[in-house]
Amino acid sequence: MKKIIYPRIGGVDSIEIIEEKDPLPIRGEVVVRIHRAGINFADLMMRQGLYGSNPDFPFTPGYEASGEIIRIGDAVEGFKIGDRVLAMTGFGGYSEQISISSDRVFKLPESITFDQAAAIPVTYGTAYHMLFHLGRISPGDTVLIHHAAGGVGTAVAQLCRVAGASTIIGTASSSKKDFVESLGVKFVDRESEDFVKICKEMTEGKGVHHAIDPVGGKNLMRSYKATRRGGKVYFFGASSAVRGDRRSFLTAFRMWLNTPKFDPLKMMSSNKAVFGVHMGLLDDPSIFKGHLNALSKMLEEGEIDPVIDGVWRFERVSDAQMHMHNRMNKGKILLDFSPN
Ligand SMILES: NC(=O)c1ccc[n+]([C@@H]2O[C@H](COP(=O)([O-])OP(=O)(O)OC[C@H]3O[C@@H](n4cnc5c(N)ncnc54)[C@H](OP(=O)(O)O)[C@@H]3O)[C@@H](O)[C@H]2O)c1
C-alpha cells in the first residue's frame, strides 16, 4: 500500500509517497481501506514544524478519513468486513490503509457519503465545540468568523444558522465575497475593511456575542474588541504564523510576539471570556464522540451539509496543499485514496 509522509520540515515539495507492507491489525484494531482523507490547515503547519503536537518526523499526517473495513483483529466487536466507517486517525490518515483501534472508528449510516464523512469531524467538531459546548449559543446571537469561506468557517456559518444566530459576520479574501454571502454571512474583506467597526455597526455599537479567531497575533485583540460585554472569544489557531508553503521564522515570531496576553481584571469587569481550544488535545474522548453523534443527526436531518471545495487524487497532495496555501479553497479539501 502507499502512504504519504512528511520526511522532514519543508515546503510542499518535501512531501513524499512511499510504498509499505499492508498493515495487519493487532488485538482491538481494524484495518480501514481509506477512500477519503481530510486536509486541515494544521497539516500545513505541521509540515512547517510550526504545530507543536505532531509526532517526530518522518510521519504521516491526516486526522480523519473515511473508508471500509478490510481486516479485523482479535477482540473487536460490532464490526464486520465491508463496513463503511469514519476513522478518527489522530495521525496517519493520508494513507491507503491504516490499522486503528476500533474505539476510534464509527460506522456510517448508508445516507452519509465518504466525502461527507471525511469532511465533517475536524471542521464541524471544532465549530460545534466552540458554539454549542463552550459558547451555549442562543437564538438571536451575533457571531464573527474569520476565514469564513474555509473548512471551519463554512461549518461555523451552517451551525450558526442551526442555532438561530441573527447576524453572522465573516472575514475572507476579496475573491470569496459572493461565496461568503451565499452562506448567509455578511462579508468583510480581510485586507481592506475594518471588521471591528463593522461588528459594532451591525450590533448597535455593542459588538458580537461570539468571536471565532483562528488567526492569532494582532487579530486576536481586535476580535476581543469586536466582542460585546458578556461576549466570548474562541482562540483556536494561529494562521498568521504561516506565510507561503515554507516556514518563515520571522512571520511565526511576529505572530507569537503580537498575540495578546489578556488582563483578567479587565475581563472580569467586562464579563468577557477567552477560550483556548485544541480539539486534538481534549483529555476526555467522550466529549468529541458526543459532538460527532449530534453532528451525524444534523447531517441526516439535512440541517448541515459540508461544503467541499474539491477532491484531489492523493498523488497530487502537494498541489492540494498549495491550493490551501494560496488561499483558494472554499470549504474543505479532500484527498482521494479510493482504489482506481
Ligand atoms: N484548535 C483546533 O482544534 C482547530 C481545529 C480545526 C482548525 N483549526 C484552525 O482553524 C483555522 C482554519 O482551519 P481549516 O482547516 O478550516 O482551514 P481553512 O480555513 O480552510 O484554511 C484555509 C484558509 O485560511 C485562510 N488563511 C489565513 N491565513 C492564511 C495563511 N497564512 N495561509 C493560507 N491561508 C490562510 C485563507 O482564507 P481567506 O484568505 O479567505 O481568509 C485560506 O483559504 C486554522 O487556523 C486551523 O489551524 C483549529
Side-chain angles (χ1 to χ4, degrees):
M1 66 126 189
K2 292 196 171 93
K3 72 179 191 184
I4 291 166
I5 58 162
Y6 290 168
R8 60 188 168 278
I9 289 174
V12 292
D13 57 358
S14 68
I15 302 174
E16 290 177 13
I17 297 176
I18 61 167
E19 189 81 44
E20 230 178 43
K21 272 194 185 158
D22 291 355
L24 294 174
I26 58 168
R27 192 180 168 79
E29 288 190 345
V30 296
V31 174
V32 178
R33 176 68 180 85
I34 292 175
H35 285 241
R36 296 285 188 269
I39 293 187
N40 290 289
F41 194 82
D43 304 343
L44 278 46
M45 295 188 75
M46 286 176 204
R47 202 193 63 246
Q48 298 188 343
L50 291 176
Y51 198 64
S53 54
N54 50 267
D56 291 340
F57 290 84
F59 71 95
T60 296
Y63 279 134
E64 56 200 344
S66 57
E68 59 194 306
I69 293 187
I70 54 168
R71 280 172 227 115
I72 299 185
D74 291 339
V76 170
E77 283 176 13
F79 291 102
K80 60 178 188 325
I81 306 285
D83 278 348
R84 300 167 68 254
V85 292
L86 160 69
M88 290 308 301
T89 43
F91 295 96
Y94 283 23
S95 188
E96 282 184 319
Q97 296 180 23
I98 189 166
S99 191
I100 177 173
S101 166
S102 60
D103 289 351
R104 304 175 66 125
V105 170
F106 305 88
K107 267 196 216 172
L108 292 176
E110 272 312 308
S111 58
I112 298 185
T113 64
F114 284 139
D115 283 7
Q116 289 173 319
I120 282 187
V122 174
T123 52
Y124 285 80
T126 308
Y128 186 94
H129 188 72
M130 294 188 284
L131 292 173
F132 287 82
H133 182 80
L134 299 174
R136 295 167 176 270
I137 185 170
S138 303
D141 279 2
T142 50
V143 183
L144 165 67
I145 320 172
H146 297 288
H147 311 344
V152 177
T154 50
V156 169
Q158 288 187 7
L159 289 177
C160 281
R161 284 216 308 273
V162 173
S166 63
T167 306
I168 316 166
I169 300 161
T171 70
S173 291
S174 55
S175 61
K176 300 174 187 168
K177 181 173 190 293
D178 292 347
F179 173 71
V180 168
E181 286 175 352
S182 76
L183 302 168
V185 174
K186 158 74 184 165
F187 172 82
V188 179
D189 187 319
R190 67 172 183 85
E191 277 182 317
S192 64
E193 291 185 293
D194 178 350
F195 70 80
V196 180
K197 187 163 161 265
I198 293 171
C199 285
K200 298 270 176 174
E201 280 169 5
M202 292 188 69
T203 56
E204 296 164 341
K206 291 182 180 155
V208 294
H209 293 88
H210 308 268
I212 312 270
D213 193 316
V215 183
K218 281 184 194 150
N219 204 75
L220 183 57
M221 186 48 92
R222 289 174 50 67
S223 293
Y224 188 81
K225 287 186 177 149
T227 307
R228 68 176 55 202
R229 292 174 62 80
K232 295 164 186 165
V233 179
Y234 311 82
F235 175 49
F236 71 110
S239 61
S240 58
V242 174
R243 202 192 60 207
D245 75 314
R246 273 159 218 286
R247 175 164 69 179
S248 159
F249 271 123
L250 190 62
T251 307
F253 179 68
R254 208 179 282 138
M255 179 285 298
W256 176 80
L257 197 65
N258 290 328
T259 296
K261 317 289 177 275
F262 291 98
D263 178 346
L265 291 174
K266 286 189 182 154
M267 289 167 69
M268 180 176 72
S269 52
S270 60
N271 274 299
K272 285 195 190 184
V274 179
F275 292 102
V277 175
H278 192 317
M279 299 307 287
L281 298 177
L282 281 181
D283 286 340
D284 178 357
S286 72
I287 295 177
F288 193 73
K289 279 187 186 170
H291 298 352
L292 281 184
N293 282 336
L295 289 164
S296 154
K297 233 179 253 161
M298 287 182 190
L299 182 64
E300 286 190 86
E301 286 168 11
E303 291 184 310
I304 57 170
D305 189 14
V307 179
I308 294 170
D309 174 78
V311 182
W312 300 63
R313 271 307 287 177
F314 72 90
E315 293 88 347
R316 296 193 60 207
V317 56
S318 299
D319 296 335
Q321 288 200 354
M322 205 59 216
H323 185 65
M324 190 179 260
H325 276 300
N326 288 336
R327 298 172 176 263
M328 300 297 283
N329 65 300
K330 294 178 186 145
K332 184 86 180 178
I333 305 175
L334 298 175
L335 291 175
D336 174 11
F337 283 93
S338 58
N340 282 319

